[in-house]
Amino acid sequence: MEEALYHPEHGFYVSGSARTGQSGDFLTPVSPGPVLGQLLARQADELHRILGCPKKLRLIEQGADTGWLARDLLASIAHDHPALATAAELHLLEPHPKLEQKQRETLLAAGFGHQTRWHKNWEAVPTDASPCFFYSCELVDSFPVQIFRYRRGNWREMRVGLGDGRLIWQEDGVDPESSAKIRRWAAPEVEGFTVELRPGTARWAELWTQKIPLGLGLTLDYGFPARELFAPHRTGGTLRALRHHQLAADPLEKPGEQDLTAHVNFTELEELGALAGWTSYGLTDFARGLTALATPLLQKESQPTKPWVRNFLHLTHPSFFGQTHKILVQGKGLPVAFQPAVRGER
Ligand SMILES: C[S@@+](CC[C@H](N)C(=O)[O-])C[C@H]1O[C@@H](n2cnc3c(N)ncnc32)[C@H](O)[C@@H]1O
């Protein structure tokens, strides 16, 4: 999965072809228009105000791809939130040069190039005491997974090997660390039950939760709390391959030409955050979370435009992103009574 998505020359995401959006292989919540950026801007502004309008607030995005969400966020901040506009500084974490170039073009064209800094990874982000608003959209689902399947009374790892010149599945034993995690998530021991574990998640969570001294972290993605992700009916796991807006039959076919993704275990992210002193404000779906953020806009006297309503419905309607996509909200160092506008059940 790592090679298929991130090989420097042939990787699906980094080869230079458009992957997200109408002309790419799949739509993300960023694709339908600027409303997601506008709603995140409202949450960033609320954070800025609750902290007493500090002189600097860092907006950090990882996995910005085309840079459209960052552009939409900054445009809304410039237009709708003047106090935050003087404080906001955008930081994009981007290891891949072609994607960084794409993001530079997007942000320069919108006039935000001077406000933006790029870093290869979390280690390269300067340590700074200023508060942060960290957000990502469909980042974690693209971190590589390992696959395990219950077979004849034992868990087995499903590895990828070569056979007859093509990629094939090969069963192998399970290392003790993965075995402990599978037990931890109480995956049902039913013949054929398949689970994914994402080995990079713990390090990623450790990096961002330690680098950010205070602020909010919003993880937007599809997935479930662990009890739902590993529910007995979800027998086949969640690994999917996508190409040209269609589910592809075989994840091992056409490496580098199709997206590979698996659902996010939000309970794991919540627990990792808690270990590093981050409070969880809960998990909500887009329908509820984004409607909460949009409520003051919808209560204004001026009617929203048709394109705005279409974009908003695309984000919140149950047949589009409304139920599949979730927002995990985590915070650190914030006033005890603070309840962010977007929040879920604790
Ligand atoms: C599914 S796309 C989502 C893109 C965009 N956020 C959106 O919602 O349209 C996943 C993106 O995450 C990026 N990504 C994966 N791992 C990353 C990492 N460690 N650091 C930065 N970006 C990463 C990929 O290169 C890809 O651009």
Side-chain angles (χ1 to χ4, degrees):
M1 190 164 171
E2 178 81 45
E3 289 293 296
L5 296 184
Y6 306 110
H7 181 279
E9 200 180 330
H10 305 291
F12 176 79
Y13 279 117
V14 298
S15 64
S17 309
R19 295 310 189 184
T20 59
Q22 209 59 259
S23 60
D25 289 276
F26 56 95
L27 299 182
T28 75
V30 177
S31 320
V35 172
L36 184 61
Q38 292 167 10
L39 298 178
L40 291 183
R42 273 214 62 233
Q43 186 54 73
D45 184 59
E46 184 193 51
L47 172 68
H48 187 234
R49 281 184 288 111
I50 202 79
L51 292 171
C53 296
K55 282 206 178 76
K56 179 161 125 184
L57 185 110
R58 288 182 294 163
L59 310 165
I60 306 185
E61 181 175 355
Q62 187 174 10
D65 198 55
T66 54
W68 296 348
L69 181 57
R71 173 200 62 196
D72 298 341
L73 174 78
L74 285 184
S76 174
I77 288 174
H79 188 260
D80 307 318
H81 308 288
L84 174 57
T86 59
E89 195 181 271
L90 177 68
H91 294 256
L92 297 182
L93 270 77
E94 184 49 72
H96 302 293
K98 283 182 190 156
L99 288 176
E100 180 184 324
Q101 185 53 32
K102 223 182 246 183
Q103 293 155 16
R104 279 187 189 279
E105 285 163 17
T106 302
L107 287 150
L108 277 172
F112 299 126
H114 64 286
Q115 248 172 291
T116 311
R117 297 188 193 164
W118 278 265
H119 311 282
K120 294 276 171 241
N121 48 41
W122 280 103
E123 286 90 338
V125 176
T127 304
D128 186 325
S130 60
C132 293
F133 179 74
F134 168 47
Y135 65 98
S136 63
C137 181
E138 291 199 8
L139 168 73
V140 180
D141 74 80
S142 71
F143 290 169
V145 291
Q146 284 174 289
I147 301 186
F148 302 89
R149 186 163 293 155
Y150 198 71
R151 303 283 256 176
R152 298 176 293 278
N154 283 305
W155 287 101
R156 308 282 291 161
E157 179 164 6
M158 303 305 293
R159 290 176 169 273
V160 179
L162 262 186
D164 288 338
R166 56 195 298 271
L167 298 179
I168 53 165
W169 292 109
Q170 288 177 337
E171 275 187 34
D172 200 353
V174 181
D175 63 284
E177 201 181 323
S178 303
S179 182
K181 278 197 195 160
I182 296 170
R183 274 203 307 279
R184 160 75 189 82
W185 300 120
E189 301 199 330
V190 174
E191 179 64 23
F193 197 90
T194 303
V195 299
E196 297 97 16
L197 298 179
R198 203 169 249 119
T201 312
R203 178 71 183 139
W204 170 74
E206 186 186 339
L207 285 168
W208 78 259
T209 54
Q210 289 183 0
K211 186 63 85 158
I212 298 180
L214 81 158
L216 273 180
L218 265 59
T219 306
L220 284 65
D221 218 319
Y222 39 86
F224 297 105
R227 66 173 185 280
E228 275 181 60
L229 190 58
F230 303 111
H233 67 271
R234 215 174 287 285
T235 46
T238 67
L239 181 75
R240 301 281 179 270
L242 288 160
R243 188 159 186 252
H244 300 330
H245 301 272
Q246 304 280 337
L247 269 182
D250 182 359
L252 300 189
E253 246 185 28
K254 299 188 171 38
E257 291 177 42
Q258 55 185 18
D259 185 31
L260 297 175
T261 167
H263 281 41
V264 172
N265 177 351
F266 283 107
T267 308
E268 183 179 25
L269 302 190
E270 244 176 344
E271 288 187 2
L272 290 165
L275 279 177
W278 283 70
T279 300
S280 173
Y281 293 105
L283 183 68
T284 183
D285 61 21
F286 269 27
R288 277 183 252 193
L290 297 183
T291 303
L293 278 175
T295 301
L297 306 177
L298 295 167
Q299 284 168 342
K300 277 189 183 166
E301 285 200 357
S302 55
Q303 294 282 325
T305 62
K306 268 192 186 165
W308 193 95
V309 172
R310 206 176 300 127
N311 188 168
F312 180 69
L313 285 176
H314 208 142
L315 292 170
T316 53
H317 196 281
S319 55
F320 295 108
F321 296 115
Q323 279 179 348
T324 50
H325 283 61
K326 316 275 174 18
I327 308 176
L328 176 65
V329 187
Q330 292 164 287
K332 186 175 172 190
L334 303 176
V336 177
F338 175 57
Q339 290 287 318
V342 61
R343 60 180 184 274
E345 293 161 26
R346 291 230 198 175

